[in-house]
Amino acid sequence: MQLYGSLSLTGKGHATDKAVMLGLLGTDPVSFPIGNIQKEIDKINSENKLLLNSEKEIAFIPTEHIKFNRKFLEFHPNGITFTAQLKDGSKKSSTYYSIGGGFVVQKERKRAKKKIKEFQGFPFPIEKGTELLEYCAQENKSISEIVFQNELSLRTESQIKDQLKAIWNVMLDSMYIGCHTEGILPGGLNVVRRAYATHKKLAGDIPYNNSYEWIKAIRGTEVKFRQILKWVSCFALAVNEVNASLGRVVTAPTNGSAGVIPAVLMYYLVIENHDANMDDINKFLMVSAEIGSLFKKGATISAAMGGCQAEIGVSSAMAAGALTELMGGTPDQVLIAAEIAMEHHLGLTCDPIAGLVQIPCIERNTMGAIKAINACEMALDLSPEDVKIPIDKVIATMWETAKDMASKYKETSEGGLAVQVFMSDC
Ligand code: SF4
């Protein structure tokens, strides 16, 4: 197996080798027990074999069979080629590309036709922000209502709600686990898990027994501006510390930026609206997903293509827009908030130290979350006539900036903080 480009250069820190081995085993990232990850990896390392797709035992020596290449493949900077030797000695190879947000494609885009057909079947096919706003105006619907109608063309109402609930439960668990786990993150940088101590100071001895009681308990704490900043940061830190320790998070739009959306949604639940319920959570998730999808279609959500503006910038825009709808903003204001959040992340580079998704990544999620809240508040005070930069223009600008950005700032750990700070300094 050959890893190429950014996938290879940050591969060890991002645990890509482990992820690929778990993938070969056929494990499901949604349900595989996190506590078994290291056990499975150790087993492969010690036995030099693995059970391919839980079906067929094959020889597999990780140090020999996983190759980290500096070379970039032309189609996308995150490339991976699998080669299998058949019984008759012949070899078969396939190359895949990880294009961001968990999406994996082949150059030939074999499934593209099916996707286009699905897209054409939507009552409201959307490529651009202008189209989304036109649908909202024409149908007199909010953005979440438009998204919901599109989703209904793919699955039933109860399936949509069940899946949104499952997403929210993972987000909530990642905040809860992160806030209640202390220690040092793996990887060698000796990064202290900070959510634990911050949470302890903020929460004091409020009583709760599970994550849902926790939400209610936090609502009862006294919050001024400083505490709000700390709570939001604490939620974001928690998720990304869970991510950095190979825990389960929701890709939103990526794992490195997975803390922004839960932190802003939790802000709404525990600070802004103590009566908020699952309907509000569903709306938030649908709006944020639509905004992420605008960026995916018009630019990129891959740091290997666009630097950190494509990760934290996009997550901040997603959260800002979603919060704005819950705060009573119009569809125009939702996209204004998303635009503001991205506008102030343009050009943000990706330079993780030692390839680990820790510094600057974990803290950067706190910044993305706070910026999203501020972008929402600013958008709520704006009229569309006063806006100079529509969302589609900021998306186009992000894409142009991505193309101009030097490769060393695009998830290679070959520039920025990654070359100023060394493992030995930590
Ligand atoms: S610097 Fe940003 S884009 Fe790069 S790995 Fe960290 S969070 Fe992801």
Side-chain angles (χ1 to χ4, degrees):
M1 176 200 316
Q2 306 280 342
L3 297 168
Y4 293 102
S6 297
L7 202 60
S8 162
L9 292 166
T10 56
K12 295 220 166 88
H14 277 47
T16 308
D17 46 351
K18 291 182 182 173
V20 167
M21 284 190 263
L22 291 169
L24 289 173
L25 291 174
T27 59
D28 180 353
V30 174
S31 57
F32 183 71
I34 295 295
N36 291 354
I37 292 179
Q38 199 51 48
K39 205 166 69 188
E40 291 294 343
I41 300 297
D42 290 345
K43 192 162 175 263
I44 298 170
N45 280 325
S46 64
E47 295 178 358
N48 286 332
K49 59 187 180 190
L50 63 75
L51 201 56
L52 185 65
N53 202 28
S54 303
E55 287 168 17
K56 180 163 178 49
E57 194 171 275
I58 57 165
F60 192 87
I61 307 169
T63 47
E64 274 180 35
H65 292 149
I66 303 179
K67 298 269 187 240
F68 292 84
N69 297 281
R70 294 187 60 78
K71 188 181 146 194
F72 280 72
L73 300 183
E74 211 182 304
F75 182 72
H76 192 281
N78 281 335
I80 181 166
T81 299
F82 294 93
T83 304
Q85 186 163 20
L86 306 184
K87 268 189 189 152
D88 63 6
S90 63
K91 288 186 176 174
K92 290 230 181 264
S93 289
S94 283
T95 299
Y96 298 85
Y97 302 89
S98 168
I99 59 168
F103 296 92
V104 175
V105 300
Q106 285 186 285
K107 196 172 166 187
E108 308 80 46
R109 306 298 300 265
K110 285 179 185 156
R111 294 174 60 227
K113 266 194 194 145
K114 187 174 166 251
K115 290 273 160 209
I116 291 169
K117 215 170 156 209
E118 269 177 13
F119 180 74
Q120 287 166 344
F122 286 168
F124 306 111
I126 297 155
E127 294 274 4
K128 290 183 176 298
T130 43
E131 293 165 350
L132 175 56
L133 291 179
E134 272 165 30
Y135 291 133
C136 290
Q138 173 192 308
E139 303 290 318
N140 194 22
K141 286 190 192 305
S142 64
I143 291 180
S144 63
E145 286 168 332
I146 292 287
V147 176
F148 188 65
Q149 290 303 315
N150 278 345
E151 285 294 322
L152 278 177
S153 69
L154 297 173
R155 42 189 76 85
T156 65
E157 180 170 345
S158 67
Q159 284 171 330
I160 297 168
K161 290 189 172 166
D162 287 352
Q163 290 187 16
L164 288 169
K165 181 116 201 265
I167 288 171
W168 166 240
N169 280 338
V170 174
M171 286 184 173
L172 180 58
D173 276 355
S174 59
M175 287 186 278
Y176 191 73
I177 292 167
C179 284
H180 296 86
T181 310
E182 59 183 327
I184 306 282
L185 291 171
L189 286 179
N190 294 319
V191 173
V192 177
R193 297 179 76 129
R194 288 190 277 169
Y196 179 85
T198 303
H199 177 264
K200 211 169 171 196
K201 275 193 220 150
L202 288 167
D205 52 9
I206 51 172
Y208 54 89
N209 294 305
N210 57 49
S211 55
Y212 279 90
E213 285 181 23
W214 182 53
I215 292 177
K216 284 192 191 145
I218 298 172
R219 285 172 174 164
T221 61
E222 196 198 346
V223 282
K224 293 188 180 149
F225 185 65
R226 285 186 69 202
Q227 282 78 27
I228 295 172
L229 284 178
K230 281 174 188 278
W231 270 118
V232 173
S233 297
C234 182
F235 299 138
L237 290 174
V239 176
N240 290 85
E241 287 169 3
V242 167
N243 180 54
S245 51
L246 300 192
R248 179 167 285 121
V249 298
V250 176
T251 305
T254 63
N255 280 17
S257 56
V260 175
I261 285 168
V264 175
L265 179 48
M266 193 68 161
Y267 158 80
Y268 181 77
L269 300 178
V270 299
I271 310 282
E272 277 301 333
N273 182 1
H274 290 185
D275 297 321
N277 55 30
M278 207 50 223
D279 283 345
D280 296 300
I281 293 170
N282 291 347
K283 282 184 199 164
F284 189 100
L285 295 177
M286 286 190 282
V287 176
S288 58
E290 187 60 48
I291 293 169
S293 150
L294 291 176
F295 279 97
K296 183 165 179 279
K297 288 168 188 161
T300 179
I301 54 168
S302 163
M305 291 291 275
C308 201
Q309 57 174 357
E311 290 207 11
I312 297 291
V314 173
S315 64
S316 187
M318 291 163 73
L323 180 64
T324 305
E325 179 168 313
L326 292 194
M327 298 289 282
T330 62
D332 280 297
Q333 287 172 324
V334 168
L335 294 197
I336 293 169
E339 185 285 317
I340 294 173
M342 172 49 78
E343 187 181 325
H344 303 288
H345 281 98
L346 286 174
L348 189 64
T349 61
C350 169
D351 53 357
I353 297 174
L356 293 156
V357 193
Q358 298 183 9
I359 308 174
C361 320
I362 296 172
E363 224 172 59
R364 194 163 279 178
N365 279 263
T366 70
M367 300 298 157
I370 299 292
K371 238 187 239 189
I373 296 168
N374 199 20
C376 160
E377 289 302 330
M378 294 180 85
L380 288 170
D381 285 344
L382 273 171
S383 305
E385 313 81 71
D386 299 327
V387 169
K388 308 291 180 206
I389 310 168
I391 183 97
D392 293 329
K393 291 229 162 142
V394 90
I395 294 173
T397 306
M398 183 202 143
W399 183 228
E400 289 307 315
T401 310
K403 287 190 276 183
D404 288 341
M405 197 181 269
S407 163
K408 65 182 179 179
Y409 297 120
K410 295 196 265 196
E411 210 167 27
T412 58
S413 286
E414 292 192 324
L417 290 171
V419 294
Q420 291 291 334
V421 183
F422 305 103
M423 190 80 100
S424 53
D425 299 331
C426 300

